[in-house]
Amino acid sequence: MEEYGAFLGCVIPNRYPGIEASIRKTMPALGIKLVDVPEFSCCPAPGIFQSFNYKTWITLAARNLALAQERGLKILTFCNGCFGSLYDANTALKQDKKLLAEVNGLLSKINMKISGNVTVEHIGLFLYNKIGLDQIKASVKKPLGLNVATHSGCHLLRSEPYKELDNNEKPRILDDLVEVLGCKAVEYDSKVQCCGAGGGVRTALAQISLQILHEKVKPLNSSADCLTDLCPFCHLQLDKGQIELNTQYGLDYKFPVLYYLQLLGLAMGFTPLELGINANFTPTDSVLKKISDGQVIIPQI
Amino acid sequence: MEMMPEKPEKNPEFSNEIKEKGGVNLYTCIQCGTCSGSCPGGKVTAYRTRMIIRNALVGLKSKVLSSDEIWLCTTCRICTSRCPRGIDVTKAILTIRNIAVDAGFALKPHKILATQAMTTGCALGGNLNEALQELRQSLGLSRTPISITYLSDPKSLADYRKLISEVGFDKLMQI
C-alpha cells in the first residue's frame, strides 16, 4: 500500500466528521494507506493568513512541509484551502531560492529545514491522475444512478500551478469522477462560480457571503438530485449556508450536498450511516431514497 | 475666499510598492473591466475590482487601504484567469490587504480568527463540543481529532508560536 501523510485540515475533523469517516473508509479501499501526523498545524488558513501577512503564511505552511519531509511522506490534502496553502507555498519555495533561504532561517529557530521538494496532492486530482478512473470504476459495487451537479471549487480550478490541468471555464475532472460512479454530471449556469466563503468573506462579512451563495445555488434545479464538492470549506458554505439563507432570508433551500468521497463511499457499498451523510445540514433523504431503489433509509444519529 | 475642495492625495509610489511586495505589475492594466464583470462579490455589492486597481494606479493609497471594499474579494481568482493583460489581480488585492494590515486596517472578525489560530495552532481551534465528539465516536473516529484541531503536543505548539513571534505576526495582531 502506498503511504500518504493525511492532511485533514480544520473543517473536516471539527465540523464534518462524516467527511473524515468517508476518507478513512474509501482511501484504504483504493489501496492508499493514510498516516496521521499529530504535529501538523493549521495549513494555515489561506483566506486570513495570506491576506494578513504573506511571510507568516509561507513560514507556517513551511513548518508543515518540513514535518512531511522529515518523515519522507507525501502529503494528501482533502481541502482546496489546505491544497492552496501547502502546494503554493511548496512551489514558491522551490522557485525562489532567496525566499527559501529566508524561510529556512526562521525554521532553523525550531531546528527544522525544508528543501521545497515535498509532493502535495489534492484528492480530486490524485483520484483522477494517480488512481485513475478505471480503478475507481472497478471499486464501484453499486452504481448510484444519480444526476449530480459538480462544484470543483475555485482553489482547485484556478490554483496557479494547476491552471492548465482542467479547463477552468468548463471543468470536467469532477464530472468524470462522478460519472464513473454510475451518475450523470448535469450542467448548471453557476458551475464555476465561487461559493462565497473564501478570502475571509464568510468570516467577516457573512451577509455578503450568503448573497454570493444565493447566486450560486439559485440556478440549481430539479434536473440534479444533489450537488457534490471536493472542498470542505465550500461544503460548509453550500450545505450549512443553505440553512442560513433559509433562516435569515425566508428562503426554502434544501438541495442535498455530498462531499465526493461520501458519494464514492456509497457507490463502494458503505452505508449512509458509516459515511456520516446524516450529519450534513441539508436533508439527504431524497438522494438516499433514489439510490436504494425506492426503499427509504432514514438514518438516525 | 471660496472654500477649495480638498486636494486628492497622490502617492505615485503605491503601484511600485505593490510591485515590490507582491510581484504584480499593475501598469499594463487597460481598465477594460473584465475583472469587475467576472467578480462574484461585485455581482451582489458595489465592489468594483477595476476601480481598486485604478485608484491604486493613480496613487490614492490611503483611500484604497482604508476602504472596506478590499475585504470583499473571496480570492476566487476568476479575474486573474480572465484578465486579458495577464495581471494576477487577486495577488494584487492580497498584497494591498497585507499593506492595509501593516497600516492597521484589519477587520475585527479576521483578527479574532487569527488570534485563535495563533493560540491553538488551528483556525477552528479549541475543544470540540460534546455533540461533535459524540458524532465522531459514533462514526468510529477518535473523540477528538488526531491533529490540527489544536496542537495538543506541547513541543509542536511551542515551535509554532516561536515561528509566529519570529515573523512578528503576534505584534502585528497586537497580542
Side-chain angles (χ1 to χ4, degrees):
Chain A
M1 265 196 184
E2 202 170 353
E3 281 192 358
Y4 280 85
F7 200 94
L8 298 185
C10 57
V11 179
I12 293 174
N14 290 298
R15 296 291 180 269
Y16 282 96
I19 296 180
E20 182 171 340
S22 74
I23 292 168
R24 296 194 189 277
K25 292 270 187 296
T26 56
M27 288 295 105
L30 292 171
I32 301 301
K33 186 183 176 200
L34 296 177
V35 179
D36 287 296
V37 181
E39 293 86 354
F40 276 152
S41 73
C42 191
C43 61
I48 303 290
F49 281 89
Q50 268 185 326
S51 293
F52 273 20
N53 190 271
Y54 181 84
K55 206 159 106 183
T56 307
W57 167 76
I58 201 156
T59 306
L60 295 178
R63 181 182 163 275
N64 287 325
L65 294 166
L67 286 164
Q69 186 178 306
E70 276 174 8
R71 287 158 181 74
L73 281 173
K74 295 170 181 173
I75 295 178
L76 183 53
T77 62
F78 299 88
C79 165
N80 290 3
C82 299
F83 175 68
S85 272
L86 299 175
Y87 188 93
D88 292 358
N90 191 52
T91 308
L93 292 166
K94 199 188 294 188
Q95 289 172 350
D96 186 341
K97 295 296 163 210
K98 199 175 148 215
L99 181 66
L100 180 67
E102 191 186 350
V103 168
N104 269 329
L106 289 159
L107 287 178
S108 71
K109 312 272 182 191
I110 57 167
N111 300 315
M112 280 189 170
K113 193 175 186 300
I114 183 161
S115 57
N117 287 319
V118 177
T119 301
V120 181
E121 296 278 3
H122 178 282
I123 183 62
L125 299 171
F126 178 75
L127 289 172
Y128 192 82
N129 295 317
K130 298 279 165 68
I131 302 288
L133 295 175
D134 290 343
Q135 196 188 329
I136 297 168
K137 199 171 183 176
S139 74
V140 172
K141 290 191 183 128
K142 187 179 176 184
L144 300 177
L146 297 169
N147 295 316
V148 182
T150 65
H151 172 81
S152 305
C154 304
H155 297 124
L156 178 61
L157 286 182
R158 293 181 283 271
S159 178
E160 192 60 35
Y162 271 116
K163 220 171 169 183
E164 304 302 322
L165 227 146
D166 200 350
N167 181 336
N168 69 39
E169 298 284 353
K170 280 180 99 56
R172 275 303 308 177
I173 287 180
L174 184 52
D175 295 44
D176 289 348
L177 287 169
V178 158
E179 292 193 338
V180 290
L181 308 182
C183 298
K184 185 179 183 306
V186 298
E187 293 298 329
Y188 63 110
D189 286 349
S190 53
K191 187 173 174 182
V192 298
Q193 197 209 289
C194 175
C195 67
V201 176
R202 184 177 162 92
T203 306
L205 304 155
Q207 295 309 313
I208 287 157
S209 173
L210 285 179
Q211 285 164 30
I212 298 172
L213 174 68
H214 192 202
E215 296 295 320
K216 174 77 194 178
V217 293
K218 233 181 347 190
L220 288 166
N221 55 45
S222 54
S223 65
D225 298 309
C226 66
L227 190 67
T228 194
D229 54 60
L230 283 168
C231 170
F233 197 42
C234 298
H235 185 87
L236 176 77
Q237 173 82 343
L238 296 166
D239 182 41
K240 193 176 179 208
Q242 286 187 62
I243 310 300
E244 292 163 355
L245 275 174
N246 293 348
T247 51
Q248 295 176 37
Y249 293 90
L251 296 164
D252 188 26
Y253 281 115
K254 45 191 173 199
F255 208 79
V257 187
L258 279 81
Y259 185 74
Y260 177 73
L261 294 185
Q262 291 182 316
L263 274 185
L264 174 64
L266 288 172
M268 283 176 164
F270 294 107
T271 66
L273 271 179
E274 286 177 305
L275 302 163
I277 287 170
N278 53 312
N280 286 336
F281 287 87
T282 45
T284 47
D285 317 10
S286 56
V287 173
L288 300 178
K289 186 178 171 185
K290 190 165 175 183
I291 62 172
S292 63
D293 305 311
Q295 187 195 341
V296 188
I297 301 169
I298 301 168
Q300 304 289 329
I301 296 182
Chain B
M1 197 180 138
E2 216 178 310
M3 285 284 282
M4 293 293 286
E6 206 181 320
K7 259 194 166 176
E9 164 216 19
K10 282 279 167 68
N11 193 332
E13 282 305 302
F14 189 36
S15 309
N16 285 335
E17 189 181 352
I18 293 167
K19 196 174 171 184
E20 272 165 35
K21 291 187 173 162
V24 189
N25 181 6
L26 297 180
Y27 292 113
T28 60
C29 171
I30 52 170
Q31 288 286 295
C32 67
T34 301
C35 48
S36 294
S38 303
C39 179
K43 202 169 174 181
V44 298
T45 66
Y47 174 54
R48 296 293 173 263
T49 319
R50 183 196 61 78
M51 188 63 90
I52 303 267
I53 303 300
R54 182 69 188 156
N55 287 342
L57 276 166
V58 299
L60 302 179
K61 182 174 175 178
S62 54
K63 184 177 177 176
V64 171
L65 295 188
S66 62
S67 80
D68 285 342
E69 289 176 359
I70 57 171
W71 298 100
L72 287 170
C73 166
T74 63
T75 70
C76 79
R77 299 180 60 85
I78 199 150
C79 52
T80 298
S81 86
R82 289 180 179 170
C83 175
R85 303 295 284 165
I87 298 170
D88 191 338
V89 186
T90 313
K91 187 73 195 284
I93 300 289
L94 286 171
T95 308
I96 290 168
R97 285 180 176 183
N98 274 223
I99 300 169
V101 169
D102 284 345
F105 295 106
L107 300 183
K108 205 177 169 194
H110 289 157
K111 284 180 101 166
I112 292 170
L113 197 113
T115 307
Q116 191 162 294
M118 274 195 293
T119 325
T120 63
C122 173
L124 296 176
N127 291 313
L128 277 192
N129 66 35
E130 196 63 25
L132 275 161
Q133 289 192 32
E134 288 288 330
L135 175 62
R136 288 186 57 87
Q137 194 170 14
S138 74
L139 289 161
L141 305 170
S142 55
R143 279 182 74 90
T144 54
I146 296 175
S147 59
I148 299 166
T149 305
Y150 52 97
L151 287 166
S152 47
D153 166 32
K155 185 185 177 301
S156 291
L157 192 56
D159 283 356
Y160 175 88
R161 287 190 180 149
K162 171 97 178 151
L163 285 179
I164 282 172
S165 110
E166 287 290 335
V167 185
F169 192 63
D170 49 353
K171 286 198 192 76
L172 192 62
M173 294 291 105
Q174 295 159 340
I175 301 300

